[in-house]
C-alpha cells in the first residue's frame, strides 16, 4: 500500500500545476478577448481621430506661448507624455463609440457595413455594452485624476449624450454639425492640456480664441464627411447637410468655406507668404474636387485631402512659434 501511495502521491500535485496553467491561460485568453473587443469598438476611429488628435495635442503643447501658458516648453518632456495623451484620447473615443454603437439603429447599420464590430459580430450583447458604458463613464473621472483636463472630459460626456442618446445627430443638420465640431474641439483642448502636464499649464487667451476658430472651421467644413453616403443617411433619417440642403448647395458651401479658411487662418497667425502657400493650394484643390468629382470614390479621396488640410491648419500655431524645435538642433 505504501508503494501505491508513493506512486500515486505526485499525481494530484501535477494536476494542480496543470490546472493552474489552464486557469492562467484561460484568464489570459479572456482578458485578450475583452481587450480586443474594446479595440474593435474604436478601430474605425484610430486613423481618423485618435492618432491625428493625439499628434495635434502634442503639437499644440509644443507651440508654447502661442496657445498655452508654458512660455518655455521642453520638447522631450512634452513628447514623453505621448502615452498619456494617446490614452486620454483613446479612452474618450471608446466612451463615444460604445455609446453610439450600442444603439439599435447603429447595430442594424453595422450589420451590413461593419459586421466585424463587437455588437453585430456577437462578441458582446447589447445589455453588456450598456453595462460597459455604465462603467466607462465614472471611470473617466478616475482617468482625469491622473491626467487632468477634467472639464474637457465632462464636456465630452455631455456631447456624447446629446449626440447619441438624445439623437442630436439625427435631429437637425445644424445641431449635428455643432455637436460634432464642439466634440472635436473639446478633444483638441483636452489633448493639449494633458500634453502640457497635469496642473502645470493651461490654454491662454489666444489658445481659447484659436479653439473658437477651430470650432468654426469644423462646423463649416466637417460636413464633407457626409457627402459619401447620402443615400444611407436618408434611409436612416439623418439630417445631414447634403440631405437637407441638397448635394450641389452642400458642396458649394463646404468648398467656399475651405477656401476662405485657407486664407484666413495663416493671416490670423501672421505667417509669411511661404507659410500661406500650402493651405491655399490644398484648400483650392479640395474646393475644385468637391464641385467636379462627385462619385463615392472621389468623395473618399477628397475627405482624405481634407484631413491633411485640417491637420495643416491646426499646425499653424507651431509654425507661428517654432522656438521649441530649436532644441532638436
Amino acid at each position: 500500500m505504501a508503494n501505491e501511495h508513493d506512486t500515486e502521491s505526485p499525481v494530484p500535485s501535477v494536476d494542480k500545476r496543470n490546472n493552474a496553467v489552464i486557469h492562467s491561460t484561460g484568464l489570459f485568453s479572456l482578458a485578450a478577448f475583452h481587450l480586443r473587443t474594446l479595440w474593435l469598438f474604436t478601430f474605425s476611429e484610430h486613423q481618423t481621430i485618435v492618432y491625428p488628435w493625439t499628434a495635434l495635442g502634442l503639437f499644440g503643447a509644443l507651440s508654447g506661448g502661442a496657445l498655452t501658458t508654458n512660455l518655455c516648453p521642453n520638447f522631450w518632456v512634452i513628447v514623453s507624455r505621448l502615452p498619456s495623451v494617446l490614452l486620454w484620447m483613446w479612452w474618450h473615443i471608446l466612451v463615444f463609440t460604445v455609446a453610439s454603437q450600442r444603439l439599435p439603429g447603429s447595430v442594424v447599420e453595422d450589420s451590413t457595413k461593419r459586421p466585424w464590430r463587437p455588437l453585430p459580430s456577437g462578441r458582446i450583447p447589447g445589455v453588456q455594452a450598456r453595462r460597459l458604458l455604465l462603467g466607462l463613464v465614472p471611470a473617466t473621472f478616475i482617468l482625469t485624476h491622473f491626467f487632468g483636463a477634467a472639464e474637457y472630459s465632462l464636456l465630452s460626456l455631455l456631447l456624447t449624450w446629446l449626440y447619441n442618446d438624445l439623437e442630436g445627430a439625427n435631429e437637425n443638420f445644424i445641431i449635428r454639425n455643432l455637436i460634432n465640431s464642439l466634440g472635436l474641439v473639446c478633444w483638441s483642448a483636452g489633448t493639449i492640456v494633458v500634453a502640457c502636464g497635469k496642473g502645470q499649464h493651461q490654454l491662454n487667451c489666444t489658445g481659447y480664441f484659436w479653439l473658437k476658430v477651430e470650432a468654426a472651421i469644423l462646423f463649416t467644413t466637417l460636413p464633407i464627411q457626409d457627402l459619401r453616403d447620402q443615400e444611407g443617411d436618408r434611409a436612416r433619417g439623418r439630417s445631414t447637410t447634403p440631405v437637407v440642403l441638397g448635394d450641389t448647395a452642400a458642396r458649394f458651401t463646404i468648398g467656399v468655406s475651405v477656401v476662405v479658411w485657407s486664407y484666413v487662418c495663416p493671416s490670423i497667425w501672421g505667417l509669411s507668404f511661404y507659410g500661406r502657400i500650402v493651405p491655399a493650394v490644398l484648400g483650392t484643390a479640395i474646393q475644385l474636387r468637391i464641385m467636379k468629382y462627385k462619385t463615392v470614390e472621389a468623395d473618399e479621396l477628397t475627405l482624405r485631402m481634407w484631413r491633411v488640410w485640417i491637420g495643416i491648419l491646426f499646425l499653424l500655431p507651431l509654425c507661428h512659434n517654432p522656438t521649441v524645435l530649436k532644441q532638436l538642433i
Side-chain angles (χ1 to χ4, degrees), residues 291-320:
M291 298 306 299
K292 185 174 182 179
Y293 303 106
K294 302 181 180 181
T295 65
V296 174
E297 294 76 14
D299 286 336
E300 286 281 359
L301 178 57
T302 305
L303 178 60
R304 294 193 191 99
M305 294 174 62
W306 175 85
R307 288 168 180 159
V308 175
W309 173 81
I310 203 76
I312 291 173
L313 292 191
F314 287 6
L315 278 175
L316 294 183
L318 182 58
C319 296
H320 170 76

Side-chain angles (χ1 to χ4, degrees), residues 3-4 20 58 102 121 162-163 195 205 241 244 246 270 276 279 284 293-294 319 325:
N3 291 334
E4 290 181 355
L58 292 174
R102 71 182 178 86
S121 65
L162 292 174
Y163 190 89
C205 293
T241 302
V244 176
R276 302 166 188 255
T284 302
Y293 303 106
K294 302 181 180 181
C319 296
L325 300 180

